[in-house]
Amino acid sequence: MPFRTNKHIFFDLDHTLWDFEKNSALAFQEIFTNLDISVNLNDFLEVYIPLNKLYWEKYRNEVVTQEELRYGRLRDSFDSLKMSISDADIWTIAHQYITTLPTYNHLFEGAVDVLNYLKTNYSLHIITNGFNEVQTGKLKNSGIMHYFETITNSEMAGVKKPNPKIFEYALRFANAKASQSVMVGDCLEADIYGAKAIGMQTIWFNEFKATPPKDIIAIHTLAEIKKYL
């Protein structure tokens, strides 16, 4: 069943439109090769992915700073692998990761098709907790920047999802009302519950087919958005 009348669709970027894990793996592969760091990529990613998720949760909750996130997720990963690596090398990897990551731009299947479909009837926007320099690069390099009328990031808003202030900032920026807006994202806490708390409609991009809460509309592929919008 389609949603009630709405005019604005807000998307998260990473893990929703932009295939973060695939692009991240390619970035690390390039960096480790260039820096001659002898680590098995699969072994590294096995420990890095959950640690990165943990650090982002801490970052959302104001427990760590941006710099602590960038350093800590790498330091903890190499420590878990019992690899000796200097702080200088950690920071080199961290800085190269920020510049290399946006050069890989795999989108989730159906992303461009869905954006073309929605663009004819809705104003499209981005709300992201990611860093401005990185997220802008991802949007430009992946060729989807032009679909979005506004792009709100946590650095602009001064707070991170799920804080209601970032959604309120994004709505003001877009000249949109919460009652006429839909948030599409992969994170229940940050994207879905955060948006619902201020009266936005939501669609959870549930790629891994977890059992959704009863009051949440969930999709497993981006193409399924067409059922509701």
Side-chain angles (χ1 to χ4, degrees):
M1 178 181 294
F3 284 143
R4 64 178 183 265
T5 302
N6 48 70
K7 299 179 180 179
H8 300 269
I9 313 298
F10 292 81
F11 280 93
D12 178 43
L13 182 57
D14 294 334
H15 304 284
T16 300
L17 294 171
W18 198 83
D19 192 339
F20 181 89
E21 300 301 352
K22 185 172 185 176
N23 294 319
S24 180
L26 291 168
F28 277 123
Q29 183 178 49
E30 178 180 333
I31 292 165
F32 293 156
T33 298
N34 290 343
L35 296 178
D36 197 25
I37 294 174
S38 298
V39 59
N40 181 280
L41 182 63
N42 290 333
D43 290 344
F44 174 82
L45 293 174
E46 186 174 349
V47 296
Y48 174 83
I49 289 172
L51 282 169
N52 184 49
K53 182 179 180 181
L54 176 63
Y55 268 90
W56 271 100
E57 289 174 358
K58 290 180 178 180
Y59 181 67
R60 281 202 307 268
N61 295 322
E62 310 287 347
V63 176
V64 298
T65 65
Q66 180 185 118
E67 291 299 290
E68 288 169 336
L69 180 154
R70 290 178 173 178
Y71 172 84
R73 61 189 178 183
L74 290 170
R75 168 52 68 195
D76 289 358
S77 295
F78 284 109
D79 285 350
S80 294
L81 294 170
K82 302 188 185 310
M83 287 187 60
S84 178
I85 186 167
S86 69
D87 281 348
D89 285 342
I90 289 286
W91 280 117
T92 297
I93 296 168
H95 291 310
Q96 288 196 13
Y97 182 72
I98 296 305
T99 57
T100 304
L101 184 61
T103 67
Y104 290 98
N105 290 286
H106 294 278
L107 301 171
F108 279 104
E109 183 178 357
V112 171
D113 178 64
V114 162
L115 293 174
N116 281 324
Y117 167 81
L118 294 173
K119 186 66 175 176
T120 59
N121 293 308
Y122 304 96
S123 295
L124 306 183
H125 313 272
I126 291 285
I127 308 179
T128 174
N129 279 351
F131 310 130
N132 182 52
E133 59 181 305
V134 182
Q135 303 304 76
T136 299
K138 292 174 184 175
L139 288 164
K140 288 181 178 178
N141 295 338
S142 62
I144 60 173
M145 184 92 165
H146 66 283
Y147 288 104
F148 303 103
E149 296 184 15
T150 67
I151 298 164
T152 296
N153 62 63
S154 55
E155 290 179 289
M156 296 164 55
V159 293
K160 309 169 192 70
K161 297 178 291 184
N163 191 309
K165 291 181 180 179
I166 191 171
F167 294 99
E168 292 164 355
Y169 180 102
L171 290 169
R172 288 195 302 271
F173 190 17
N175 194 26
K177 296 179 179 179
S179 60
Q180 295 179 328
S181 301
V182 178
M183 179 70 202
V184 182
D186 72 291
C187 182
L188 274 175
E189 178 188 359
D191 299 314
I192 305 307
Y193 293 143
K196 286 176 74 70
I198 66 159
M200 296 175 72
Q201 301 163 95
T202 62
I203 297 176
W204 180 31
F205 180 49
N206 178 18
E207 179 193 4
F208 299 108
K209 302 183 180 180
T211 302
K214 292 182 180 179
D215 61 338
I216 300 298
I217 291 175
I219 58 173
H220 305 316
T221 67
L222 290 174
E224 293 176 66
I225 288 176
K226 296 177 182 180
K227 295 180 183 178
Y228 304 100
L229 297 169

